[in-house]
Amino acid sequence: MNDAAVLGADALLLVPCRIGGKKIPEAWDFDIEFDEKTGHLTRVVKGDNDPYADYIAAHNKAVDDSRRAVELLIPAAEKAGVVIALENVWNNLWVKPAVFAHFVRMFKSRWVKAYFDIGNHVKYALPQEWLRALGDQIVKLHVKDFKLNADGKGGKFVNIRDGSVDWPLVRREIDAIGYKGWLTIEGGDLSMEEHRRRLDAIIAGQ
């Protein structure tokens, strides 16, 4: 935290946890219900959840462990004046907007917010749904794109404006939640000039 403050950063990205080695639903099969008090998953798909019992247990342990770990960092974040910015990557956790938003809000701290990557979660839910759910909890945004397969199941990362993200709609949602911070391009193999041109178009609502 202190190093981030010395460098003039106002937020530090943190990926809190990752789980694997379990039977996990496909991205398009998730249908999650969770406990509003604890954030624990109670189901991950419609119907029989027994095949995913180990995943649910591991997810709920990760929620508890991550919460305790982040809570230990809050005093240091406050002292340094640096926000802990939680990013939900492809870590098999918090895969739906309401679940991740609930986790971030559980801290009830101005020093714990979300670093949302617009392209990371397209396979789970539309970016605008994530933006609406996270709202004022977003402290930073990564600009990335993801192209879904024709059947909507799976896909791949692509250069911004080449994928399935509806950028004009996303731009309106960014305004709607009152976000005024940075938009940082992550990934891609375009030239700096072309990245700049495409980002300018996104900012312009195109």
Side-chain angles (χ1 to χ4, degrees):
M1 293 296 177
N2 291 333
D3 288 346
V6 168
L7 293 171
D10 58 4
L12 182 67
L13 188 155
L14 174 67
V15 177
C17 200
R18 184 183 188 281
I19 56 175
K22 316 291 182 186
K23 182 175 176 59
I24 300 173
E26 297 289 354
W28 50 88
D29 287 331
F30 273 103
D31 193 315
I32 289 176
E33 290 183 355
F34 66 97
D35 186 306
E36 288 282 348
K37 183 177 180 180
T38 63
H40 288 182
L41 303 185
T42 55
R43 85 171 196 192
V44 291
V45 296
K46 291 180 179 178
D48 183 13
N49 278 253
D50 285 348
Y52 306 109
D54 289 345
Y55 169 66
I56 292 172
H59 191 291
N60 294 341
K61 184 178 186 301
V63 168
D64 295 341
D65 290 349
S66 297
R67 186 177 183 184
R68 284 192 293 268
V70 172
E71 284 174 342
L72 290 174
L73 296 175
I74 292 176
E78 183 174 7
K79 183 177 180 180
V82 176
V83 171
I84 302 165
L86 305 177
E87 183 177 9
N88 191 21
V89 298
W90 281 17
N91 54 358
N92 299 317
L93 291 164
W94 306 293
V95 299
K96 288 296 185 180
V99 185
F100 186 46
H102 181 273
F103 179 70
V104 176
R105 288 192 170 91
M106 284 180 75
F107 295 98
K108 298 179 181 178
S109 172
R110 60 170 293 198
W111 301 106
V112 182
K113 300 289 184 180
Y115 200 134
F116 178 59
D117 186 306
I118 293 168
N120 267 357
H121 301 80
V122 175
K123 70 175 184 176
Y124 295 113
L126 296 172
Q128 52 269 30
E129 295 177 16
W130 289 91
L131 289 165
R132 289 170 195 155
L134 291 166
D136 62 4
Q137 296 301 299
I138 296 174
V139 68
K140 301 288 181 185
L141 284 173
H142 272 156
V143 178
K144 191 190 291 179
D145 213 333
F146 186 86
K147 188 171 183 61
L148 292 166
N149 293 331
D151 60 2
K153 297 179 178 181
K156 62 180 181 180
F157 290 109
V158 294
N159 289 311
I160 55 174
R161 293 173 60 83
D162 286 344
S164 300
V165 175
D166 185 335
W167 288 107
L169 179 54
V170 164
R171 180 68 177 87
R172 291 195 295 273
E173 289 297 335
I174 290 172
D175 279 344
I177 65 173
Y179 180 78
K180 303 294 184 183
W182 291 95
L183 298 174
T184 306
I185 297 173
E186 183 181 73
D189 57 6
L190 302 171
S191 67
M192 186 71 71
E193 180 180 355
E194 180 61 14
H195 267 138
R196 184 183 301 114
R197 187 188 70 79
R198 295 191 183 197
L199 183 58
D200 285 346
I202 290 170
I203 293 171
Q206 300 171 6

Coordinates of all heavy atoms in Angstrom, one line a residue, residues 119-181:
G119 N -14.3 -6.8 -20.5 CA -14.3 -8.0 -21.4 C -14.2 -9.3 -20.6 O -14.6 -10.4 -21.2
N120 N -13.7 -9.3 -19.4 CA -13.5 -10.6 -18.7 C -14.7 -11.4 -18.5 O -14.6 -12.6 -18.4 CB -12.9 -10.3 -17.3 CG -11.3 -10.3 -17.4 OD1 -10.7 -10.6 -18.4 ND2 -10.7 -10.0 -16.2
H121 N -15.9 -10.8 -18.4 CA -17.1 -11.5 -17.9 C -18.2 -11.7 -18.9 O -19.3 -12.1 -18.6 CB -17.6 -10.7 -16.7 CG -16.6 -10.6 -15.6 ND1 -15.6 -9.6 -15.6 CD2 -16.4 -11.3 -14.5 CE1 -14.9 -9.8 -14.5 NE2 -15.4 -10.8 -13.8
V122 N -17.9 -11.4 -20.2 CA -18.9 -11.5 -21.2 C -19.5 -12.9 -21.3 O -20.6 -13.1 -21.6 CB -18.3 -11.1 -22.6 CG1 -19.3 -11.3 -23.7 CG2 -17.8 -9.6 -22.5
K123 N -18.7 -13.9 -21.1 CA -19.2 -15.3 -21.2 C -20.1 -15.7 -20.1 O -20.9 -16.6 -20.2 CB -18.0 -16.3 -21.2 CG -17.2 -16.5 -19.9 CD -16.2 -17.6 -20.1 CE -15.5 -17.9 -18.8 NZ -14.6 -19.0 -18.9
Y124 N -20.1 -14.9 -19.0 CA -21.1 -15.1 -17.9 C -22.3 -14.2 -17.9 O -23.4 -14.7 -17.5 CB -20.3 -14.9 -16.5 CG -19.2 -15.8 -16.3 CD1 -17.9 -15.4 -16.3 CD2 -19.4 -17.2 -16.0 CE1 -16.8 -16.2 -16.0 CE2 -18.4 -18.1 -15.8 CZ -17.1 -17.6 -15.8 OH -16.0 -18.4 -15.5
A125 N -22.1 -13.0 -18.3 CA -23.3 -12.0 -18.3 C -22.8 -10.8 -19.1 O -21.6 -10.5 -19.3 CB -23.7 -11.6 -16.9
L126 N -23.8 -10.1 -19.6 CA -23.5 -8.9 -20.4 C -22.8 -7.9 -19.6 O -23.1 -7.7 -18.4 CB -24.8 -8.3 -21.0 CG -25.5 -9.2 -22.0 CD1 -26.9 -8.6 -22.3 CD2 -24.7 -9.4 -23.3
P127 N -21.8 -7.2 -20.2 CA -21.0 -6.2 -19.4 C -21.9 -5.1 -18.7 O -21.7 -4.7 -17.6 CB -20.1 -5.5 -20.5 CG -19.9 -6.6 -21.5 CD -21.3 -7.3 -21.6
Q128 N -23.0 -4.7 -19.4 CA -23.9 -3.7 -18.8 C -24.6 -4.2 -17.6 O -24.9 -3.4 -16.7 CB -24.9 -3.2 -19.9 CG -25.7 -4.3 -20.6 CD -25.1 -4.7 -21.9 OE1 -23.9 -4.7 -22.0 NE2 -25.9 -5.1 -22.8
E129 N -24.8 -5.5 -17.5 CA -25.4 -6.1 -16.3 C -24.4 -6.0 -15.1 O -24.8 -5.7 -14.0 CB -25.8 -7.5 -16.5 CG -26.9 -7.7 -17.5 CD -27.2 -9.2 -17.8 OE1 -26.8 -10.0 -17.0 OE2 -27.9 -9.4 -18.8
W130 N -23.1 -6.2 -15.4 CA -22.1 -6.1 -14.4 C -22.0 -4.6 -13.9 O -21.9 -4.3 -12.7 CB -20.7 -6.6 -14.9 CG -20.6 -8.0 -15.1 CD1 -20.9 -8.8 -16.2 CD2 -20.2 -9.0 -14.1 NE1 -20.7 -10.1 -16.0 CE2 -20.3 -10.3 -14.7 CE3 -19.8 -8.9 -12.8 CZ2 -19.9 -11.4 -14.0 CZ3 -19.4 -10.1 -12.1 CH2 -19.5 -11.3 -12.7
L131 N -22.0 -3.7 -14.9 CA -21.9 -2.3 -14.5 C -23.0 -1.9 -13.7 O -22.8 -1.1 -12.7 CB -21.8 -1.5 -15.8 CG -20.5 -1.6 -16.6 CD1 -20.7 -1.0 -18.0 CD2 -19.4 -0.8 -15.9
R132 N -24.2 -2.3 -14.0 CA -25.4 -1.9 -13.2 C -25.3 -2.5 -11.8 O -25.7 -1.8 -10.8 CB -26.7 -2.4 -13.9 CG -27.0 -1.6 -15.2 CD -28.2 -2.3 -15.9 NE -28.3 -1.9 -17.3 CZ -28.8 -2.6 -18.2 NH1 -29.3 -3.8 -18.0 NH2 -28.9 -2.1 -19.5
A133 N -24.9 -3.7 -11.7 CA -24.8 -4.4 -10.4 C -23.8 -3.7 -9.5 O -24.0 -3.5 -8.3 CB -24.6 -5.9 -10.5
L134 N -22.6 -3.4 -10.0 CA -21.5 -2.9 -9.3 C -21.7 -1.4 -9.0 O -21.3 -0.9 -7.9 CB -20.2 -3.2 -10.0 CG -19.7 -4.6 -10.0 CD1 -18.6 -4.8 -11.0 CD2 -19.3 -5.1 -8.6
G135 N -22.2 -0.7 -10.0 CA -22.5 0.7 -9.8 C -21.4 1.6 -9.2 O -20.2 1.5 -9.7
D136 N -21.7 2.2 -8.1 CA -20.7 3.1 -7.5 C -19.6 2.4 -6.8 O -18.7 3.0 -6.2 CB -21.4 4.1 -6.5 CG -22.1 3.4 -5.4 OD1 -22.0 2.2 -5.3 OD2 -22.8 4.2 -4.6
Q137 N -19.6 1.1 -6.8 CA -18.5 0.3 -6.2 C -17.3 0.2 -7.1 O -16.2 -0.2 -6.7 CB -19.0 -1.1 -5.8 CG -20.1 -1.1 -4.8 CD -19.6 -0.5 -3.5 OE1 -18.7 -0.9 -2.8 NE2 -20.3 0.6 -3.1
I138 N -17.5 0.6 -8.4 CA -16.4 0.5 -9.3 C -15.4 1.7 -9.1 O -15.8 2.9 -9.2 CB -16.9 0.5 -10.8 CG1 -17.7 -0.7 -11.0 CG2 -15.7 0.6 -11.8 CD1 -18.4 -0.8 -12.4
V139 N -14.1 1.4 -9.0 CA -13.1 2.4 -8.8 C -12.2 2.6 -10.0 O -11.7 3.6 -10.3 CB -12.3 2.2 -7.5 CG1 -11.4 1.0 -7.7 CG2 -11.4 3.4 -7.2
K140 N -12.1 1.5 -10.8 CA -11.3 1.5 -12.0 C -12.0 0.5 -13.1 O -12.7 -0.4 -12.7 CB -9.9 1.0 -11.8 CG -9.1 1.8 -10.8 CD -8.7 3.1 -11.3 CE -7.8 3.9 -10.2 NZ -7.5 5.2 -10.6
L141 N -11.7 0.8 -14.3 CA -12.2 0.0 -15.4 C -11.1 -0.4 -16.4 O -10.3 0.4 -16.8 CB -13.3 0.7 -16.2 CG -14.7 0.9 -15.6 CD1 -15.5 1.8 -16.5 CD2 -15.4 -0.5 -15.4
H142 N -11.1 -1.7 -16.7 CA -10.2 -2.2 -17.8 C -11.1 -2.3 -19.0 O -12.3 -2.7 -19.0 CB -9.7 -3.6 -17.5 CG -8.4 -3.6 -16.7 ND1 -8.0 -4.7 -16.0 CD2 -7.4 -2.7 -16.6 CE1 -6.8 -4.4 -15.4 NE2 -6.5 -3.2 -15.8
V143 N -10.6 -1.9 -20.1 CA -11.3 -1.9 -21.4 C -10.7 -3.1 -22.2 O -9.5 -3.2 -22.6 CB -11.1 -0.6 -22.2 CG1 -11.8 -0.8 -23.6 CG2 -11.6 0.6 -21.5
K144 N -11.6 -4.1 -22.4 CA -11.2 -5.3 -23.1 C -12.4 -5.8 -23.8 O -13.5 -5.5 -23.5 CB -10.7 -6.4 -22.1 CG -10.0 -7.6 -22.7 CD -9.8 -8.7 -21.6 CE -8.8 -8.3 -20.6 NZ -8.6 -9.3 -19.6
D145 N -12.2 -6.7 -24.9 CA -13.3 -7.2 -25.6 C -13.2 -8.7 -25.7 O -12.2 -9.3 -25.5 CB -13.4 -6.6 -27.0 CG -14.8 -6.4 -27.6 OD1 -15.7 -7.2 -27.2 OD2 -15.0 -5.6 -28.4
F146 N -14.4 -9.3 -25.9 CA -14.5 -10.8 -26.0 C -15.5 -11.1 -27.0 O -16.6 -10.6 -27.0 CB -14.9 -11.3 -24.6 CG -14.9 -12.8 -24.5 CD1 -13.8 -13.5 -24.1 CD2 -16.1 -13.6 -24.7 CE1 -13.8 -14.9 -24.0 CE2 -16.1 -14.9 -24.6 CZ -14.9 -15.6 -24.2
K147 N -15.2 -12.1 -27.9 CA -16.1 -12.5 -29.0 C -16.7 -13.8 -28.6 O -16.0 -14.8 -28.6 CB -15.4 -12.5 -30.3 CG -16.4 -12.7 -31.5 CD -15.7 -12.5 -32.8 CE -16.7 -12.7 -34.0 NZ -17.7 -11.7 -34.0
L148 N -18.0 -13.8 -28.4 CA -18.7 -15.1 -28.1 C -18.8 -15.9 -29.4 O -18.9 -15.4 -30.5 CB -20.1 -14.8 -27.6 CG -20.2 -14.1 -26.2 CD1 -21.7 -13.6 -26.0 CD2 -19.9 -15.1 -25.1
N149 N -18.9 -17.2 -29.2 CA -19.1 -18.1 -30.3 C -20.5 -17.9 -30.8 O -21.4 -17.3 -30.1 CB -18.9 -19.6 -29.9 CG -17.5 -19.9 -29.6 OD1 -16.6 -19.3 -30.1 ND2 -17.3 -20.8 -28.7
A150 N -20.8 -18.4 -32.0 CA -22.1 -18.1 -32.7 C -23.3 -18.6 -31.8 O -24.4 -18.1 -31.8 CB -22.2 -18.8 -34.0
D151 N -23.0 -19.7 -31.0 CA -24.1 -20.3 -30.2 C -24.1 -19.6 -28.8 O -24.9 -20.0 -27.9 CB -23.9 -21.8 -30.0 CG -22.6 -22.2 -29.4 OD1 -21.8 -21.3 -29.1 OD2 -22.3 -23.4 -29.3
G152 N -23.3 -18.6 -28.6 CA -23.2 -17.9 -27.3 C -22.5 -18.7 -26.2 O -22.5 -18.2 -25.1
K153 N -21.9 -19.8 -26.6 CA -21.2 -20.6 -25.6 C -19.7 -20.6 -25.8 O -19.2 -21.1 -26.8 CB -21.7 -22.1 -25.7 CG -23.2 -22.2 -25.4 CD -23.7 -23.6 -25.5 CE -25.1 -23.8 -25.1 NZ -25.6 -25.2 -25.2
G154 N -19.0 -19.9 -24.9 CA -17.6 -19.8 -25.1 C -17.2 -18.7 -26.1 O -18.0 -18.0 -26.6
G155 N -15.9 -18.6 -26.3 CA -15.4 -17.6 -27.2 C -14.0 -17.3 -27.0 O -13.2 -18.1 -26.4
K156 N -13.5 -16.1 -27.4 CA -12.1 -15.8 -27.2 C -12.0 -14.3 -27.1 O -12.8 -13.5 -27.5 CB -11.3 -16.2 -28.4 CG -11.7 -15.6 -29.7 CD -10.8 -16.1 -30.9 CE -11.3 -15.4 -32.2 NZ -10.4 -15.9 -33.3
F157 N -10.9 -13.8 -26.4 CA -10.6 -12.4 -26.3 C -10.1 -11.9 -27.7 O -9.4 -12.6 -28.4 CB -9.5 -12.2 -25.3 CG -10.0 -12.4 -23.9 CD1 -9.5 -13.5 -23.2 CD2 -10.9 -11.6 -23.3 CE1 -9.9 -13.8 -21.9 CE2 -11.3 -11.8 -22.0 CZ -10.9 -12.9 -21.3
V158 N -10.5 -10.7 -28.0 CA -10.2 -10.0 -29.3 C -9.8 -8.6 -29.0 O -10.0 -8.1 -27.9 CB -11.3 -10.1 -30.3 CG1 -11.5 -11.6 -30.7 CG2 -12.6 -9.5 -29.8
N159 N -9.4 -7.9 -30.0 CA -9.1 -6.5 -29.8 C -10.4 -5.7 -29.6 O -11.5 -6.1 -30.0 CB -8.4 -5.9 -31.1 CG -7.0 -6.4 -31.2 OD1 -6.2 -6.3 -30.3 ND2 -6.6 -6.9 -32.4
I160 N -10.3 -4.6 -28.9 CA -11.5 -3.8 -28.5 C -12.2 -3.4 -29.8 O -11.6 -3.0 -30.8 CB -11.1 -2.6 -27.7 CG1 -10.1 -1.7 -28.3 CG2 -10.7 -3.0 -26.3 CD1 -9.8 -0.4 -27.5
R161 N -13.5 -3.5 -29.8 CA -14.4 -3.2 -30.9 C -14.5 -4.3 -31.9 O -15.1 -4.1 -32.9 CB -14.1 -1.8 -31.5 CG -14.4 -0.6 -30.5 CD -13.9 0.7 -31.1 NE -14.6 1.1 -32.3 CZ -15.8 1.6 -32.4 NH1 -16.5 1.9 -31.3 NH2 -16.3 1.9 -33.6
D162 N -13.8 -5.4 -31.7 CA -13.9 -6.5 -32.6 C -14.7 -7.7 -32.0 O -14.9 -8.7 -32.7 CB -12.5 -7.1 -32.9 CG -11.7 -6.2 -33.9 OD1 -12.3 -5.3 -34.5 OD2 -10.5 -6.3 -34.0
G163 N -15.3 -7.5 -30.9 CA -15.9 -8.6 -30.2 C -17.4 -8.4 -30.0 O -18.1 -7.7 -30.8
S164 N -18.0 -9.0 -28.9 CA -19.4 -9.0 -28.7 C -19.9 -7.9 -27.7 O -21.1 -7.8 -27.5 CB -19.8 -10.3 -28.1 OG -19.5 -11.4 -29.0
V165 N -19.0 -7.1 -27.2 CA -19.3 -6.0 -26.3 C -20.1 -4.9 -27.1 O -19.6 -4.5 -28.2 CB -18.1 -5.4 -25.6 CG1 -18.5 -4.2 -24.8 CG2 -17.4 -6.4 -24.7
D166 N -21.2 -4.5 -26.6 CA -22.0 -3.4 -27.2 C -21.4 -2.1 -26.6 O -21.9 -1.6 -25.6 CB -23.5 -3.6 -26.9 CG -24.3 -2.5 -27.6 OD1 -23.8 -1.4 -27.9 OD2 -25.5 -2.8 -27.8
W167 N -20.4 -1.6 -27.3 CA -19.7 -0.4 -26.7 C -20.6 0.8 -26.5 O -20.4 1.5 -25.5 CB -18.4 -0.1 -27.5 CG -17.4 -1.2 -27.2 CD1 -17.0 -2.2 -28.1 CD2 -16.7 -1.4 -26.0 NE1 -16.0 -3.0 -27.5 CE2 -15.8 -2.6 -26.3 CE3 -16.6 -0.8 -24.8 CZ2 -15.0 -3.0 -25.3 CZ3 -15.8 -1.3 -23.8 CH2 -15.0 -2.4 -24.1
P168 N -21.4 1.2 -27.5 CA -22.3 2.4 -27.2 C -23.2 2.2 -26.0 O -23.3 3.1 -25.2 CB -23.1 2.5 -28.5 CG -22.2 1.9 -29.5 CD -21.5 0.7 -28.8
L169 N -23.7 1.0 -25.8 CA -24.5 0.7 -24.6 C -23.7 0.7 -23.3 O -24.1 1.3 -22.3 CB -25.2 -0.6 -24.8 CG -26.1 -1.1 -23.6 CD1 -27.2 0.0 -23.3 CD2 -26.8 -2.4 -23.9
V170 N -22.5 0.1 -23.4 CA -21.6 0.1 -22.2 C -21.2 1.5 -21.9 O -21.2 1.9 -20.7 CB -20.4 -0.7 -22.5 CG1 -19.2 -0.4 -21.5 CG2 -20.7 -2.2 -22.5
R171 N -21.0 2.4 -22.9 CA -20.6 3.8 -22.6 C -21.7 4.5 -21.9 O -21.5 5.3 -21.0 CB -20.3 4.5 -24.0 CG -19.9 5.9 -23.8 CD -18.5 6.1 -23.1 NE -18.1 7.4 -23.0 CZ -18.5 8.3 -22.0 NH1 -19.3 7.8 -21.0 NH2 -18.1 9.5 -21.9
R172 N -23.0 4.2 -22.3 CA -24.1 4.9 -21.6 C -24.3 4.4 -20.2 O -24.6 5.2 -19.3 CB -25.4 4.6 -22.4 CG -25.5 5.3 -23.8 CD -26.9 5.3 -24.3 NE -27.4 4.0 -24.7 CZ -27.2 3.4 -25.8 NH1 -26.5 4.0 -26.8 NH2 -27.7 2.2 -26.0
E173 N -24.0 3.1 -20.0 CA -24.1 2.5 -18.6 C -23.0 3.1 -17.7 O -23.2 3.4 -16.5 CB -24.0 1.0 -18.7 CG -25.2 0.3 -19.2 CD -26.4 0.6 -18.4 OE1 -26.3 0.8 -17.2 OE2 -27.5 0.5 -19.0
I174 N -21.8 3.4 -18.3 CA -20.7 4.0 -17.5 C -21.2 5.4 -17.1 O -20.9 5.8 -15.9 CB -19.4 4.1 -18.4 CG1 -18.9 2.7 -18.6 CG2 -18.4 5.0 -17.7 CD1 -17.7 2.6 -19.5
D175 N -21.8 6.1 -17.9 CA -22.3 7.4 -17.5 C -23.4 7.3 -16.5 O -23.5 8.0 -15.5 CB -22.9 8.2 -18.8 CG -21.8 8.8 -19.6 OD1 -20.7 9.0 -19.1 OD2 -22.1 9.2 -20.7
A176 N -24.3 6.3 -16.7 CA -25.5 6.1 -15.8 C -25.1 5.8 -14.4 O -25.8 6.2 -13.4 CB -26.4 5.0 -16.4
I177 N -23.9 5.1 -14.2 CA -23.5 4.8 -12.8 C -22.6 5.9 -12.2 O -22.2 5.8 -11.1 CB -22.8 3.4 -12.7 CG1 -21.5 3.5 -13.5 CG2 -23.7 2.3 -13.2 CD1 -20.6 2.2 -13.4
G178 N -22.4 6.9 -13.1 CA -21.6 8.1 -12.6 C -20.1 7.9 -12.5 O -19.4 8.6 -11.8
Y179 N -19.6 6.9 -13.3 CA -18.2 6.6 -13.2 C -17.4 7.7 -14.0 O -17.8 8.0 -15.2 CB -17.9 5.3 -13.8 CG -16.4 4.9 -13.8 CD1 -15.7 4.5 -12.7 CD2 -15.6 5.0 -15.0 CE1 -14.4 4.2 -12.7 CE2 -14.3 4.7 -15.0 CZ -13.7 4.3 -13.9 OH -12.3 4.0 -13.9
K180 N -16.4 8.3 -13.4 CA -15.6 9.4 -14.0 C -14.1 9.1 -14.0 O -13.3 9.9 -14.3 CB -15.8 10.7 -13.2 CG -17.3 11.1 -13.1 CD -17.9 11.5 -14.5 CE -19.3 12.0 -14.3 NZ -19.9 12.3 -15.6
G181 N -13.8 7.8 -13.8 CA -12.3 7.5 -13.7 C -11.7 7.1 -15.0 O -12.2 7.3 -16.1

